[in-house]
Amino acid sequence: MERVYALIDCNSFYCSCERIIQPSLKRRPVVVLSNNDGCIIARTPEVKALGIQMGAPYFQVRDQLAAAGVVVRSSNYTLYADMSNRVMRIIADMVPQVEVYSIDECWADLTGVQDREVLGRAVRARLLREIGMPVGVGISTTKTVTKLANWAAKRWSATGGVVDLTDPARQQKLLRLAPVNEVWGVGRRSASKLAALNISTAWDLAQFNMATLRKTFGVTMERTARELRGVHCLSMNEGPPPKQAICSSKMFGHKLRDLDPIRQALASYVSRAAEKLRDQASLAGALQVSLQTQVYNLDLPRYANAVSIALPAPTDDTRELLRVALAGLEQIYRPGFAYSKCSILLMDLSQRGEVTGDLFAPRPRPGSDRLMSIMDEINQQKGRGTIRIARVPAAPSWGMRREMLSLRATTEWGELIGVRG
């Protein structure tokens, strides 16, 4: 039986979340900013029409946004994670198999489903009705063509947000219309190189010589072209391999000079990196701690340093990782500087069961695996930071600057939206 996939992708996800909890924004242009209100990371179609680019520094476009009446919001990751979970639960309730691809999109296996387009429209209608989340649904026989179908569903409103490209004739029609840079996996640099070979559309890429594509771009581009031809190369739950290094790094909300608040920030970053480590069932054999002042401010003394430390034994225990990381921070910290950022990088990663333990290495703390598992489970159910390392305060002074933060209306009792009768 021929495989059939659907890609369900939320429209301008961060901005849509903001509109859901504040309905008055539904007809107003909205942008969402990155950490510390730095750059634009999400924008509604009205903002795109103004020519505001993704990634534009906020301070450069602040006046333009204000003149156009654009509503600006700081990143509300707690809200976005909760909305994502709600969306994925509804989708999983309606389709045979789901693969969560990112916070705002997932694959569904519709093999054997008869009325695929009807199902796609039912999923879209239920998400709008129960959550208020607009989505596009693309359906086809390979993941790469399904991605293009989803692009078409969002681009042309006449589709009603759902495009079924299981018919070969319809596939060919869209491939001839779609620019090559809209193909999944084709970035700006690759698109420029493809243009030099007179490849401007998805159809051109699908018809190009496979041997030349492999020689020029590698096996990934060849596989993309074959998928455009209808050759099944990517299966459900066929994702990238586990990461070989995990980094957690953020700019402080303001510059820090004293060591103690930097220790607190590092503890927070180590905790997050350890969660990611356990999520992919890996152990870290080494870590790197780095600390730096602001690079571009020439009026202040500049300093940057890093130290790499091998761990006594591979581990995913937050406490062990933090103990070594704090020792590294002590080595590189120098008084007298205004620090803007610290980072933790977990390295020398291995999967559980891959590495033979060292007989002379210190034994892990009793119950370590169980404790970490319980912490992760509670934080996943109740919200990140519900249980945390004691060194991390509940409301840190060094936290991200988020001056335009919306309510955490779905996860915090004190921020529930009130309704008057």
Side-chain angles (χ1 to χ4, degrees):
M1 184 179 295
E2 186 177 43
R3 309 301 301 182
V4 177
Y5 302 101
L7 179 66
I8 304 162
D9 186 10
C10 301
N11 300 345
S12 301
F13 178 65
Y14 288 178
C15 296
S16 293
C17 290
E18 299 291 346
R19 284 173 161 176
I20 288 170
I21 65 166
Q22 190 175 349
S24 62
L25 300 182
K26 286 190 175 181
R27 290 176 175 80
R28 297 189 62 184
V30 179
V31 299
V32 174
L33 304 178
S34 63
N35 295 340
N36 291 309
D37 295 341
C39 302
I40 293 175
I41 58 172
R43 51 200 176 134
T44 55
E46 302 92 341
V47 179
K48 296 178 185 178
L50 294 173
I52 303 294
Q53 298 298 313
M54 186 74 79
Y58 176 54
F59 75 91
Q60 290 184 356
V61 296
R62 181 189 287 112
D63 293 341
Q64 184 180 357
L65 293 174
V70 177
V71 176
V72 181
R73 289 285 182 262
S74 302
S75 297
N76 191 340
Y77 297 118
T78 303
L79 170 68
Y80 307 152
D82 181 67
M83 285 295 182
S84 175
N85 290 334
R86 293 170 185 239
V87 167
M88 299 307 168
R89 284 199 299 269
I90 287 178
I91 295 172
D93 185 51
M94 299 185 69
V95 301
Q97 183 183 354
V98 168
E99 174 195 340
V100 178
Y101 182 62
S102 68
I103 192 172
D104 64 343
E105 60 185 327
C106 68
W107 298 99
D109 189 344
L110 301 188
T111 304
V113 175
Q114 296 300 315
D115 298 321
R116 295 179 292 265
E117 186 171 337
V118 171
L119 176 59
R121 297 192 184 282
V123 169
R124 190 171 186 273
R126 183 174 171 186
L127 289 172
L128 276 172
R129 182 177 65 253
E130 297 186 13
I131 299 179
M133 180 62 66
V135 301
V137 182
I139 304 169
S140 195
T141 52
T142 70
K143 278 190 167 183
T144 303
V145 179
T146 301
K147 264 277 193 180
L148 275 182
N150 185 276
W151 169 77
K154 292 185 173 184
R155 181 176 178 83
W156 289 292
S157 58
T159 64
V162 180
V163 170
D164 183 351
L165 286 187
T166 51
D167 176 59
R170 295 194 70 195
Q171 285 184 23
Q172 183 178 141
K173 183 178 179 180
L174 181 61
L175 292 181
R176 291 182 182 276
L177 289 172
V180 73
N181 62 309
E182 295 295 343
V183 175
W184 187 29
V186 176
R188 289 184 180 180
R189 292 183 180 179
S190 297
S192 298
K193 293 180 180 179
L194 290 169
L197 297 174
N198 294 321
I199 299 175
S200 60
T201 66
W203 176 258
D204 296 334
L205 179 58
Q207 302 307 309
F208 204 77
N209 181 269
M210 294 294 158
T212 303
L213 285 176
R214 175 189 281 262
K215 183 178 179 180
T216 307
F217 298 94
V219 66
T220 301
M221 187 66 74
E222 179 195 3
R223 184 173 60 181
T224 297
R226 291 189 184 279
E227 284 246 321
L228 291 174
R229 288 187 179 185
V231 179
H232 181 261
C233 299
L234 298 172
S235 302
M236 286 289 287
N237 300 307
E238 185 176 329
K243 295 178 181 178
Q244 299 303 303
I246 293 175
C247 180
S248 182
S249 172
K250 292 185 181 70
M251 300 288 288
F252 304 137
H254 59 86
K255 295 179 179 61
L256 301 178
R257 293 182 177 272
D258 298 330
L259 181 57
D260 193 56
I262 299 176
R263 288 194 187 106
Q264 295 175 2
L266 181 62
S268 175
Y269 303 161
V270 169
S271 298
R272 181 60 184 137
E275 289 175 358
K276 295 179 182 179
L277 186 70
R278 293 190 291 270
D279 188 53
Q280 66 173 36
S282 294
L283 302 173
L287 60 79
Q288 181 184 85
V289 180
S290 61
L291 184 64
Q292 69 178 60
T293 60
Q294 191 168 352
V295 177
Y296 302 107
N297 192 336
L298 302 180
D299 297 329
L300 293 174
R302 287 183 290 175
Y303 171 79
N305 204 351
V307 60
S308 297
I309 306 173
L311 295 164
T315 183
D316 62 4
D317 190 317
T318 302
R319 299 165 298 172
E320 293 300 317
L321 294 168
L322 180 57
R323 179 181 62 81
V324 176
L326 289 174
L329 178 63
E330 298 280 353
Q331 295 181 39
I332 61 176
Y333 172 79
R334 300 290 184 272
F337 293 96
Y339 295 100
S340 63
K341 181 180 181 180
C342 76
S343 305
I344 179 72
L345 178 66
L346 303 183
M347 307 180 295
D348 192 17
L349 304 190
S350 58
Q351 293 300 102
R352 283 185 169 274
E354 281 186 352
V355 179
T356 302
D358 186 343
L359 291 175
F360 302 100
R363 292 193 173 189
R365 301 188 194 188
S368 171
D369 291 347
R370 179 62 176 158
L371 176 60
M372 294 298 109
S373 176
I374 291 173
M375 282 181 58
D376 292 342
E377 184 176 348
I378 292 174
N379 286 332
Q380 186 175 21
Q381 292 180 357
K382 304 299 183 181
R384 185 179 301 162
T386 301
I387 296 182
R388 61 185 184 277
I389 295 293
R391 188 178 286 275
V392 182
S397 61
W398 44 263
M400 283 190 298
R401 185 174 65 254
R402 295 192 286 182
E403 297 175 353
M404 294 157 283
L405 184 67
S406 55
L407 296 175
R408 294 166 294 178
T410 63
T411 57
E412 293 289 330
W413 287 108
E415 298 181 17
L416 289 176
I417 298 174
V419 178
R420 294 182 179 179

